[in-house]
């Protein structure tokens, strides 16, 4: 007779959300509220902002995000395999090494294409 | 899941001991996090850096002349942060600006749930397992929850309508994603060796001192701690908030308790990292060369129930001492090494750690097949 194993996590999440909401509410209620135009400007070393932050930024960050999706999904395949590795023996080892070789070929490709270069 | 919870609710009377155990464990970890680590690590960091740099450190705040080694600064910091104005710059995305610290701190508070802080004990006929949630996915839960906190930093950078914040936000996004891939792969070797993802299984398997993760997976350990440092965003990996170039990175436009929440999240992540390191590589709650049975026998004069309680207290203490040791070492690293350049960080993640992690999997598999 045991409890659902995710029940304590639910309890913990509720406590964490309560704490976080409490802190946000407290800080927006307590404390002075003095608004004037110059003060509300976003900080840019003491001068009025000269560039719009919602502008474009380097495409490399998007490439990293794409590579992350590819490689992280491949990494997830390794977890169940690792847990039962002892039962699979040689067969499982060779199979997974073939998979990893495919993964390495992909890594070598993006590496040679220069997707990992930052200059 | 809703149905399962309803079914649980109907069985409350017979489940009462389990419910008490669950609440006690959640309260214990929550108190450790919110009551001990979140407030005190700021003080520890200030004092430790002062010691390392031959300064005195925080010692001004006093009540009637009592400074208590600067511990009262914890209190004054809390009061100061609470009474600061909650500043939101013009043009900022208000709902997201509120949401970001929330997303940063909630995962940091719940990530500890699967880390065992003690073994299994039978107290007055009730089997107690000192881990909040003994999930079969184990460490994957930590990864899943920790990766949510990335959103907190990225959204903070985006919502502030500030150039420094945005730069910090996209830097943190790319850095966290890069190291998450590598971090998952560095631990595959550990799971192969212990044959499980469940963290209590891994803890029990480390009863023999020479079966500790650090001996079975030395390369995996070095790679994992590097990735963990990078995920923690502290020096030498603190380029998202590099104060010399980006003011404060993604939390430039945060003040008061909302700022404190990012700061708390960073410290609690450090506690979680130390917990994972101890649980996977340093024997968890186990003492070198002392078995569970041996310890029970040693306390045998207390009677079987109180012997179990004594063993439990010893194990929990050992676990937290190890965690504190690791927090100390992580702070030592933070105050010793200079900050990396951004391209160096990205190259370390993709070109060094990722291939080495794959090599580690190959070596681990080959050696295990030879031994079997």
């Amino acid at each position: 007779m045991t409890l659902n194993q995710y029940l304590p996590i639910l309890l913990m999440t509720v406590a964490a959300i309560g704490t976080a909401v409490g802190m946000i509410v407290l800080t927006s209620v307590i404390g002075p509220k003095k608004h004037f135009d110059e003060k509300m400007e976003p900080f840019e070393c003491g001068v009025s902002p000269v560039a719009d932050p919602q502008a474009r930024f380097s495409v490399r960050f998007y490439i990293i995000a794409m590579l992350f999706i590819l490689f992280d999904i491949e990494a997830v395949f390794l977890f169940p395999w690792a847990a039962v590795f002892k039962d699979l023996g040689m067969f499982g080892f060779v199979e997974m090494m073939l998979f990893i070789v495919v993964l390495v070929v992909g890594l070598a490709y993006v590496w040679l294409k220069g997707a990992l270069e930052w200059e | 899941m809703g149905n399962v919870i309803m079914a649980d609710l109907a069985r409350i009377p017979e489940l009462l001991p389990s419910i008490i155990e669950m609440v006690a464990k959640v309260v214990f970890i929550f108190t450790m996090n919110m009551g001990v680590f979140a407030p005190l690590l700021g003080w520890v960091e200030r004092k430790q850096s002062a010691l390392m740099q031959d300064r005195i450190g925080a010692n001004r705040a006093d009540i009637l002349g009592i400074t208590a080694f600067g511990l009262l600064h914890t209190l004054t910091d809390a009061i100061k942060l609470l009474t600061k104005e909650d500043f939101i710059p013009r043009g900022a995305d208000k709902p997201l600006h509120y949401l970001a610290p929330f997303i940063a701190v909630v995962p940091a508070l719940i990530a500890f749930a699967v880390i065992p802080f003690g073994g299994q004990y039978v107290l007055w006929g009730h089997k107690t397992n000192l881990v909040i949630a003994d999930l079969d996915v184990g460490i994957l839960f930590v990864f899943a929850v920790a990766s949510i906190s990335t959103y907190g930093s990225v959204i903070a950078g985006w919502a502030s309508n500030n150039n420094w914040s945005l730069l910090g936000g996209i830097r943190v996004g790319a850095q966290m994603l890069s190291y998450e891939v590598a971090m998952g792969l560095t631990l595959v070797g550990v799971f192969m060796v212990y044959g499980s993802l469940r963290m209590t299984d891994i803890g029990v398997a480390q009863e023999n001192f020479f079966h500790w993760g650090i001996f079975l997976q030395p390369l995996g350990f070095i790679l994992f701690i590097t990735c963990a440092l990078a995920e923690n965003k502290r020096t030498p990996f603190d380029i998202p908030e590099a104060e010399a170039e980006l003011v404060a990175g993604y939390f430039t436009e945060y003040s008061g308790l909302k700022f404190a929440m990012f700061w708390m999240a960073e410290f609690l992540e450090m506690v979680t990292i130390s917990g994972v390191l101890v649980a996977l590589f340093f024997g968890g709650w186990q003492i070198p060369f002392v078995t569970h049975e041996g310890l029970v026998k040693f306390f045998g004069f207390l009677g079987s129930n109180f012997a179990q309680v004594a063993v439990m207290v010893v194990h929990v203490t050992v676990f937290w001492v190890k965690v504190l040791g690791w927090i100390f070492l992580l702070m030592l690293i933070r105050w010793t090494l200079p900050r990396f350049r951004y391209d160096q960080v990205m190259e370390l993640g993709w070109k060094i750690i990722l291939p080495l992690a794959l090599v580690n999997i190959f070596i681990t598999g080959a050696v295990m097949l030879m031994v079997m």
Side-chain angles (χ1 to χ4, degrees):
Chain A
M1 206 48 75
T2 49
L3 290 163
N4 183 300
Q5 55 175 355
Y6 283 92
L7 198 61
I9 291 189
L10 182 72
L11 190 67
M12 199 123 176
T13 312
V14 170
I17 289 175
T19 312
V21 168
M23 285 179 86
I24 290 179
V25 169
L26 267 182
T27 197
S28 26
V29 173
I30 303 174
K33 307 247 173 323
K34 291 173 192 143
H35 294 232
F36 53 92
D37 242 22
E38 285 79 7
K39 178 183 166 186
M40 303 317 287
E41 274 179 354
F43 179 76
E44 203 163 301
C45 309
V47 296
S48 298
V50 287
D52 181 17
Q54 315 285 352
R56 299 185 190 184
F57 48 86
S58 172
V59 70
R60 300 191 180 283
F61 292 102
Y62 296 100
I63 296 175
I64 290 292
M66 260 161 57
L67 294 180
F68 162 74
I69 295 173
L70 292 174
F71 282 95
D72 211 38
I73 290 172
E74 281 165 341
V76 166
F77 285 131
L78 289 171
F79 287 106
W81 168 79
V84 294
F85 175 73
K86 282 175 187 165
D87 307 325
L88 293 177
M90 191 49 121
F91 172 72
F93 180 69
V94 173
E95 284 280 297
M96 198 42 99
M97 286 309 124
L98 288 176
F99 177 75
I100 287 179
V101 165
V102 175
L103 216 155
V104 168
V105 170
L107 182 65
Y109 176 75
V110 292
W111 192 330
L112 293 174
K113 274 281 175 185
L116 304 177
E117 305 301 326
W118 297 77
E119 67 278 329
Chain B
M1 187 170 162
N3 285 336
V4 183
I5 290 172
M6 288 312 289
D8 280 339
L9 288 179
R11 291 184 285 128
I12 278 182
E14 47 181 318
L15 286 172
L16 204 58
S18 304
I19 292 170
I20 293 171
E21 183 198 336
M22 175 183 85
V23 174
K25 285 188 293 195
V26 170
V27 168
F28 176 69
I29 289 299
F30 217 72
T31 319
M32 285 302 274
N33 275 341
M34 286 301 295
V36 180
F37 287 120
L40 287 188
L41 283 185
W43 173 79
V44 172
E45 173 127 62
R46 287 168 83 171
K47 275 298 189 188
Q48 189 176 341
S49 63
L51 197 70
M52 289 176 70
Q53 297 170 348
D54 202 13
R55 295 184 283 112
I56 297 168
N59 70 338
R60 292 293 177 86
D62 68 301
I63 296 175
L64 303 173
I66 301 161
T67 56
F69 308 108
L71 263 174
L72 292 174
H73 278 267
T74 311
L75 192 68
T76 52
D77 282 350
I79 295 170
K80 184 189 79 178
L81 288 167
L82 186 62
T83 51
K84 283 275 177 187
E85 178 174 354
D86 175 28
F87 177 78
I88 301 172
R90 191 192 313 127
D93 192 322
K94 256 191 172 181
L96 288 185
H97 194 271
Y98 275 100
L99 191 65
F102 176 82
I103 300 181
V105 86
V106 169
L109 277 169
I110 57 178
F112 208 91
V114 294
I115 300 172
F117 51 94
Q120 286 101 44
Y121 315 93
V122 181
L123 305 172
W124 288 276
H126 176 71
K127 206 166 173 299
T128 312
N129 190 0
L130 285 191
V131 54
I132 288 180
D134 193 17
L135 302 184
D136 44 9
V137 294
I139 187 78
L140 275 184
F141 176 81
V142 180
F143 286 165
V145 170
S147 57
I148 297 173
S149 67
T150 312
Y151 286 107
S153 314
V154 175
I155 290 175
W158 176 252
S160 295
N161 191 31
N162 178 315
N163 284 308
W164 306 125
S165 301
L166 181 74
L167 286 173
I170 52 178
R171 278 187 184 188
V172 80
Q175 180 181 331
M176 302 283 275
L177 296 185
S178 300
Y179 279 87
E180 227 171 273
V181 174
M183 187 156 79
L185 290 172
T186 55
L187 289 182
V188 170
V190 176
F191 307 139
M192 287 161 76
V193 170
Y194 295 117
S196 178
L197 292 174
R198 193 189 290 268
M199 297 192 75
T200 49
D201 290 352
I202 295 174
V204 169
Q206 297 184 74
E207 186 157 14
N208 181 337
F209 180 56
F210 297 104
H211 287 178
W212 281 18
I214 179 77
F215 298 118
L216 299 177
Q217 282 290 312
L219 180 59
F221 164 70
I222 292 168
L223 296 176
F224 174 74
I225 190 169
T226 315
C227 293
L229 278 170
E231 289 279 305
N232 196 204
K233 308 186 284 288
R234 287 161 65 82
T235 329
F237 293 99
D238 71 336
I239 34 168
E241 51 189 90
E243 67 272 12
E245 29 184 314
L246 294 184
V247 188
Y250 55 90
F251 53 71
T252 304
E253 297 290 3
Y254 281 88
S255 60
L257 281 186
K258 277 153 88 183
F259 165 76
M261 285 163 83
F262 283 112
W263 183 78
M264 254 172 61
E266 190 178 302
F267 281 136
L268 293 180
E269 272 165 22
M270 204 158 73
V271 176
T272 310
I273 289 168
S274 304
V276 172
L277 277 169
V278 169
L280 295 184
F281 294 101
F282 288 87
W285 62 90
Q286 312 273 12
I287 313 166
F289 307 114
V290 178
T291 58
H292 192 118
E293 283 78 43
L295 211 54
V296 172
K297 229 174 256 167
F298 178 76
F299 286 110
F301 61 91
L302 293 169
S304 68
N305 280 323
F306 283 102
Q308 290 281 337
V309 173
V311 173
M312 186 170 90
V313 171
V314 168
H315 279 165
V316 172
T317 313
V318 164
F319 175 80
W320 287 113
V321 166
K322 285 181 187 174
V323 168
L324 286 177
W326 266 107
I327 291 174
F328 174 78
L329 276 172
L330 292 178
M331 284 193 178
L332 214 61
I333 294 170
R334 186 244 184 273
W335 289 99
T336 305
L337 298 175
R339 180 183 305 133
F340 291 141
R341 270 198 337 256
Y342 195 66
D343 59 326
Q344 291 172 328
V345 170
M346 299 308 274
E347 276 183 14
L348 180 66
W350 286 98
K351 295 187 181 174
I352 299 174
I353 296 183
L354 186 59
L356 276 179
L358 295 174
V359 169
N360 184 44
I361 296 171
F362 173 77
I363 295 174
T364 308
V367 170
M368 279 177 72
L369 281 180
M370 275 195 285
V371 173
M372 291 192 301

